[in-house]
Amino acid sequence: MIRDADLAPLLRTAPWMSEDGRTADRYERVDHAVLGDAALLLVVAAVGGPAAGQRFFLPVRPGGTRGIEEAHGSTEFDAAAVARACYGGELLTARGGTIRFRGAGGPAPDVRRLPFEQGWSSNALSLVDIAGVPHIHKTYRRLDEAVREPELLRLMSGTGHTPEWAGDYTYTDPATGARHPLGVIYRYAPGDGIDLPLRENLRSLWPRLTDARQSPADVVRPHLLPLEDRLRAAGTFLHAFHRDLAARLGGPAPTGYPAREVLARAAERRTGLAEARVALPEQSWHAAFAALEAEVVSLGAAFEGRDEVPGAGPCHGDLHLSHLLCGPGAVTGWRMSVIDLSTPALGPDDPGWAAQSPLQDLVAVERALEYFAADEAAFESARRLGVDSLETMRGALDGAPGWAEADRAVLDQVFRTADRWRERVLRLLLGPAADSPLRRLLYLRRLLHELAYNCAHARPYHAAIDLRHALALGGARTPALHPASASTSART
């Protein structure tokens, strides 16, 4: 029998508890079910401390130095959970709840674990072989976070845009009736995030930049030629994903996106951030916030008299470049898949159904490319100049006051080249940018969200990227080296 006292040290040493330093005074067992001889499926709650009230899913089994260990990633737990999900059924929990397994039905398949390096993740991932086909078994550790991925994968099966769903299992709370996804099984989609071929392309561009008189556009365009068809096809794939997502979720489309409400929240966030400080040049900070204020005012005029605007619809929800997988496919293209779906709502009856738009995903890609290109430019210019990348990032933000003219020229050329590369990739991937008020609003909202995160976590390097692109608002979104400010960061 596993004692409640055994759980606290086990949870405190789990890697997902250290992501933001959350701890608790102790942990209490809330509910549990027995998965044969493979694992005890525990629901535990944190008591006291910063994590108080949080509930976690913790499969455990006998073993380890304490006599108890996590069952995540064990052969027995993977085989039992996956097999049970594939043929379906329910487990009754100790307090009258249920854990419901659902899948395609049929006899229990032969399941075995495969070698897999998942890296750090807030969830637990295993690679398993189901009747000769590799699948991912993912378990969700935090019960109180909204998880819609299992249902989305089930609905999107057959579209070719997401991994094929094979099964899942869900805990129903006996006290509230709320359903909490615990795990999902889906076919493994081999490949890498689209950031990998993009990184390889940009890094292989730098050796071509040998003359200060070279025009970035003249270098970038021919260098991207090998990826042009694939990037265009990836854009078409993303458009088709949004189309199929809307069709599979069903129900009436949202009547309109709540632009005035979202703009008001963005304006409040801008005001709250204006006095933040993250060790960046004061003059650049004030100039960036003036540009942000001007954008708020401009969008307010654009939405005058309209609470809602067209453009609402289902989206991925938190699209990163790594979520767009590209693997070996046709000779001239990639076989693509979208992973880690976090759609804000599953249907018209869910809160947040109207407050989403496919444009959110396009803006997310745009912002990801901004971070990506600026980061690569900072490291490349730092390598060429023999300085730290934070110094080159600050220099790209404030104009590098006090730098030697030759060094500033290197910084300027590298960053301008990265900007031209990013613009070309974005155009190939998403087509000509429609500078609609809604797209501008969604861009503003995401930029402010990311700036708030970077300020809260004292990340001046990333905040400098945010400010650099804030300064470009209202123009062609092409940051440049800005005039020298009162920065005390100088190089001689």
Side-chain angles (χ1 to χ4, degrees), residues 326-473:
C326 52
V331 174
T332 58
W334 287 315
R335 178 189 39 74
M336 299 200 69
S337 186
V338 180
I339 61 171
D340 289 356
L341 277 71
S342 7
T343 301
L346 291 175
D349 296 332
D350 290 343
W353 176 248
Q356 58 177 326
S357 168
L359 288 174
Q360 285 177 238
D361 290 344
L362 307 191
V363 163
V365 170
E366 181 177 5
R367 286 290 295 146
L369 284 169
E370 288 174 357
Y371 278 115
F372 179 89
D375 185 52
E376 292 294 325
F379 273 85
E380 175 61 17
S381 53
R383 185 191 67 80
R384 293 184 177 213
L385 296 172
V387 298
D388 184 83
S389 59
L390 177 58
E391 191 170 354
T392 55
M393 188 65 78
R394 286 171 61 101
L397 173 65
D398 68 7
W403 285 39
E405 184 177 347
D407 289 353
R408 192 182 298 116
V410 170
L411 185 73
D412 179 64
Q413 186 186 42
V414 170
F415 270 87
R416 282 191 301 113
T417 301
D419 289 333
R420 295 296 85 72
W421 180 90
R422 169 182 50 82
E423 291 165 0
R424 182 63 181 162
V425 168
L426 193 65
R427 186 178 182 89
L428 290 168
L429 189 59
L430 304 181
D435 197 24
S436 69
L438 178 56
R439 181 165 180 156
R440 288 167 52 202
L441 171 62
L442 294 172
Y443 180 91
L444 175 69
R445 185 182 72 164
R446 189 165 184 106
L447 189 155
L448 287 169
H449 169 77
E450 290 165 339
L451 178 59
Y453 179 89
N454 291 328
C455 289
H457 292 79
R459 292 162 33 120
Y461 179 90
H462 295 88
I465 301 176
D466 297 328
L467 295 189
R468 187 168 181 263
H469 287 277
L471 285 163
L473 287 172

Side-chain angles (χ1 to χ4, degrees), residues 77-244:
F77 171 62
D78 280 329
V82 170
R84 192 65 183 263
C86 287
Y87 67 77
E90 288 187 351
L91 293 177
L92 185 66
T93 68
R95 298 195 174 179
T98 57
I99 296 179
R100 181 193 174 202
F101 295 82
R102 63 175 179 174
D110 181 29
V111 179
R112 65 185 181 90
R113 292 189 71 237
L114 298 172
F116 183 58
E117 293 291 336
Q118 73 160 46
W120 189 92
S121 175
S122 57
N123 302 308
L125 302 175
S126 296
L127 184 65
V128 297
D129 180 296
I130 303 178
V133 179
H135 285 71
I136 292 290
H137 175 209
K138 176 190 286 190
T139 54
Y140 304 100
R141 287 173 159 137
R142 297 175 183 177
L143 258 67
D144 299 312
E145 294 181 350
V147 175
R148 301 180 180 87
E149 184 182 27
E151 181 65 8
L152 287 164
L153 290 175
R154 187 184 71 83
L155 291 172
M156 290 292 285
S157 279
T159 64
H161 294 115
T162 59
E164 289 296 302
W165 173 88
D168 58 49
Y169 47 107
T170 302
Y171 169 67
T172 299
D173 189 321
T176 65
R179 300 177 68 229
H180 302 278
L182 300 181
V184 64
I185 301 97
Y186 55 86
R187 181 174 289 201
Y188 174 64
D192 298 295
I194 200 172
D195 53 310
L196 183 63
L198 290 175
R199 179 175 292 107
E200 291 173 347
N201 182 270
L202 181 54
R203 289 183 177 178
S204 65
L205 180 148
W206 299 130
R208 293 174 175 243
L209 208 60
T210 58
D211 189 330
R213 295 168 296 181
Q214 286 175 296
S215 164
D218 291 342
V219 177
V220 165
R221 187 146 190 157
H223 188 72
L224 270 169
L225 275 175
L227 288 184
E228 282 198 359
D229 289 344
R230 296 185 179 196
L231 289 172
R232 288 193 182 98
T236 301
F237 170 89
L238 189 56
H239 174 77
F241 161 75
H242 287 131
R243 178 199 64 212
D244 285 345

